[in-house]
Amino acid sequence: MSMSEALTKALPLLAALESRGFEAVFVGGCVRDTLLGRPLKDVDIATSASPEDVIAAFPHTIPTGLQHGTVTVVHDGDTYEITTFRTESAYEGFRRPSEVRFVTELKEDLLRRDFTINAMAMRSDGTMVDPFGGRRDLGRGILRCVGDADARLQEDALRIVRAVRFAAAYDLRIAPGTWRAIRRHRALLAHIAMERIGLEFDKMIGGRHPERAGALLASSGLLAHTKELLPEAISSAAAAYAALNAGRSSEAGEPLARGIRGLAGLADAEDRWAALCALLGLGADEAAKLFGTLRYATARGERLSVVLGVHGAMAEQAGRDLTALADQPVAAENAALAARLREDTRRSWILAALRHGQTAALAWAGIVGRVPDLIAADIHAAERQHAVLGPYLQALEAAVRGMPAGAVRDLAVKGKELLALADRPSGPWLGRLLHSLLEAAALGAVPNEKAALLAEAAARLAQEDRPHETRGDHS
Ligand code: ATP
Ligand code: MG
């Protein structure tokens, strides 16, 4: 097997251990990805040397996980994990054991690994060590547990989710015995920390085939067995999706399936999550809660909420607009019509951008461009909707980019100046006034110029001072 640059660069590490009389091989993901010609994420090494011997063999090491036999070696600006051959026994609570036993045989080390495609090693001369037929499985597109699937998934229930993740990322079919074991032992997922589940989901959504991950998660029934409950919308979507995949027609499943197929068209994983949550019908709060359950960073949940906030504000209106546009008889005119936003659409759009932020608004428009099923109201008009979708979204984007003011700080008038104008003590009224001026400026109702804004402010203050009069639209 020929070696990629990344493996070649790591060869001196194998040589250093071999020259001291130890066995040392590339192992796991880097071997699998080399066989597939995919770029390597990291290069892991397994060796018969003890962690102490590894530390002695290299000038720059970090004792990352000594109790598990792992030493990190820094070599030529890159880090490598070198792990002593080991077996795992005495699994407790359906999780990987905290104690391991070091062994001298490579094959014993490969035996502890989860799937045949992950249980291959490569020697420094390029020869493969593949006792479980990983290469054959990879060639045939099959994901299979090493040895007895029931035993392997019961030892460590995380492997149940890893199976789905690898099957999705590498577009593999799951071997029948492994699939049966996944379904049989899925309730063991309740023993796995949500953080681990969250990491796996993230890799599935961000990976090559999120649609395949979705299909497998739905048909395996895994989603109902996590330690902490996922939102109800997820289980009902999974049921609809599974029905569809099983060949039954499902009204709810079809747009969902089309939408999920569209996810891969989004480059950014955060955008994929936003699209997925919108497809599942999760509101901003529910989605943020889901992110909390999956232990994602707060900032990610916040970003998700604002994009879903824009979706909540705009999806129906955009669906109506596009359906109406697609119904126009002359296709050539549709694009021109689409580019001219309705006044009420423009207003809701600008207000949504003020409320949730221009970045979130632009992100939403970008997502909808890739996953039109997020808003498409009328399936039969889908093709014609597509012809108008581009110009419509461009018009929305232009409207947001062209907003004269996006935040109070962009206003040509400052709070201090309004205080002087009003000649009254500061209070909540000031923030309200600034915000209403911001809306007026953003909508283009008042130019974002000091004199115009001060005049508008004076008019509004005067109106407030006459409480017996009915208030105008602006208050
Ligand atoms: P990637 O880095 O792309 O996720 P990988 O195969 O490198 O893929 P890791 O999670 O980094 O996956 O694990 C490295 C190797 O360790 C795997 O290839 C597999 O051999 C083994 N391994 C990891 N987790 C488990 C587990 N839960 N049970 C058994 N073996 C595992
Ligand atoms: Mg890895």
Side-chain angles (χ1 to χ4, degrees):
M1 192 62 213
S2 74
M3 287 190 199
S4 59
E5 198 182 326
L7 286 189
T8 311
K9 211 185 147 195
L11 276 175
L13 301 179
L14 298 190
L17 290 163
E18 284 166 351
S19 72
R20 292 172 174 244
F22 300 111
E23 199 177 349
V25 293
F26 298 126
V27 74
C30 65
V31 178
R32 178 194 67 219
D33 291 343
T34 295
L35 287 177
L36 290 171
R38 287 200 187 187
L40 308 186
K41 261 162 277 168
D42 41 35
V43 174
D44 292 325
I45 291 169
T47 180
S48 60
S50 69
E52 295 72 34
D53 289 329
V54 173
I55 290 170
F58 299 100
H60 191 172
T61 60
I62 308 163
T64 353
L66 280 189
Q67 70 279 28
H68 298 112
T70 303
V71 175
T72 298
V73 174
V74 186
H75 167 72
D76 197 10
D78 284 312
T79 59
Y80 300 86
E81 290 201 341
I82 303 190
T83 304
T84 304
F85 295 159
R86 60 178 213 217
T87 60
E88 297 173 350
S89 50
Y91 292 84
E92 268 170 48
F94 310 103
R95 272 164 306 198
R96 301 181 83 184
S98 53
E99 287 201 6
V100 300
R101 193 165 57 84
F102 297 136
V103 293
T104 50
E105 290 296 311
L106 169 59
K107 188 176 166 188
E108 267 194 89
D109 180 273
L110 295 176
L111 190 58
R112 74 170 164 90
R113 295 172 185 268
D114 44 10
F115 308 111
T116 60
I117 61 162
N118 287 347
M120 298 180 275
M122 190 192 284
R123 298 191 190 281
S124 56
D125 62 4
T127 55
M128 297 279 305
V129 184
D130 178 19
F132 310 110
R135 192 172 188 170
R136 189 189 55 217
D137 283 345
L138 202 57
R140 292 186 185 166
I142 294 173
L143 184 89
R144 187 195 313 277
C145 281
V146 170
D148 177 37
D150 284 306
R152 306 324 305 278
L153 299 187
Q154 282 174 283
E155 285 164 1
D156 174 9
L158 183 67
R159 292 171 184 161
I160 296 173
V161 214
R162 281 174 60 89
V164 171
R165 196 242 298 175
F166 283 110
Y170 292 91
D171 206 12
L172 307 172
R173 280 168 292 129
I174 299 181
T178 300
W179 180 247
R180 276 194 300 275
I182 288 172
R183 291 185 47 99
R184 195 175 294 140
H185 302 298
R186 63 193 176 189
L188 296 179
L189 269 196
H191 298 280
I192 303 300
M194 289 311 290
E195 192 192 349
R196 309 297 301 275
I197 301 285
L199 285 170
E200 292 295 329
F201 281 4
D202 223 9
K203 290 186 180 175
M204 292 183 205
I205 299 303
R208 283 207 190 190
H209 297 287
E211 74 294 346
R212 181 134 171 71
L216 289 169
L217 286 174
S219 52
S220 60
L222 291 189
L223 293 168
H225 296 283
T226 48
K227 188 173 198 160
E228 288 175 31
L229 275 187
L230 302 176
E232 164 59 29
I234 292 190
S235 0
S236 46
Y241 202 45
L244 194 75
N245 283 319
R248 294 190 291 280
S249 81
S250 158
E251 214 173 295
E254 276 162 33
L256 180 68
R258 269 202 315 274
I260 290 180
R261 275 200 297 277
L263 293 183
L266 294 165
D268 185 69
E270 305 301 325
D271 285 350
R272 290 186 183 184
W273 271 111
L276 178 62
C277 289
L279 286 167
L280 293 171
L282 296 179
D285 293 344
E286 280 175 300
K289 200 169 151 241
L290 170 67
F291 266 33
T293 305
L294 296 175
R295 307 294 188 269
Y296 295 158
T298 317
R300 294 184 63 190
E302 285 164 2
R303 198 247 182 208
L304 179 74
S305 305
V306 287
V307 175
L308 289 173
V310 176
H311 184 67
M314 292 305 296
E316 279 187 27
Q317 175 92 47
R320 275 195 304 274
D321 288 353
L322 289 166
T323 303
L325 285 164
D327 280 345
Q328 297 289 319
V330 189
E333 282 170 19
N334 293 353
L337 278 176
R340 222 176 310 131
L341 296 177
R342 288 167 54 103
E343 193 42 43
D344 55 343
T345 301
R346 204 180 72 85
R347 188 182 160 83
S348 336
W349 174 240
I350 297 288
L351 293 179
L354 281 185
R355 171 136 185 239
H356 304 288
Q358 284 154 290
T359 313
L362 291 172
W364 179 78
I367 292 169
V368 170
R370 296 286 183 167
V371 191
D373 278 287
L374 282 178
I375 48 164
D378 182 352
I379 295 167
H380 303 295
E383 255 178 42
R384 294 156 91 189
Q385 278 188 16
H386 198 69
V388 291
L389 184 65
Y392 181 78
L393 292 174
Q394 274 164 24
L396 289 180
E397 280 170 18
V400 157
R401 291 195 198 279
M403 275 165 70
V408 164
R409 67 173 174 278
D410 300 333
L411 279 178
V413 75
K414 299 290 160 239
K416 257 193 303 189
E417 292 160 328
L418 295 178
L419 272 176
L421 176 79
D423 193 26
R424 54 167 116 159
S426 182
W429 66 270
L430 182 59
R432 280 198 300 270
L433 180 58
L434 278 166
H435 195 79
S436 72
L437 292 175
L438 172 61
E439 276 191 15
L443 290 166
V446 174
N448 187 19
E449 290 158 13
K450 186 174 295 197
L453 289 168
L454 282 174
E456 179 70 18
R460 291 183 184 209
L461 288 166
Q463 201 170 38
E464 268 188 22
D465 287 342
R466 281 171 291 166
H468 54 279
E469 280 183 24
T470 45
R471 290 185 169 192
D473 286 344
H474 297 309
S475 63

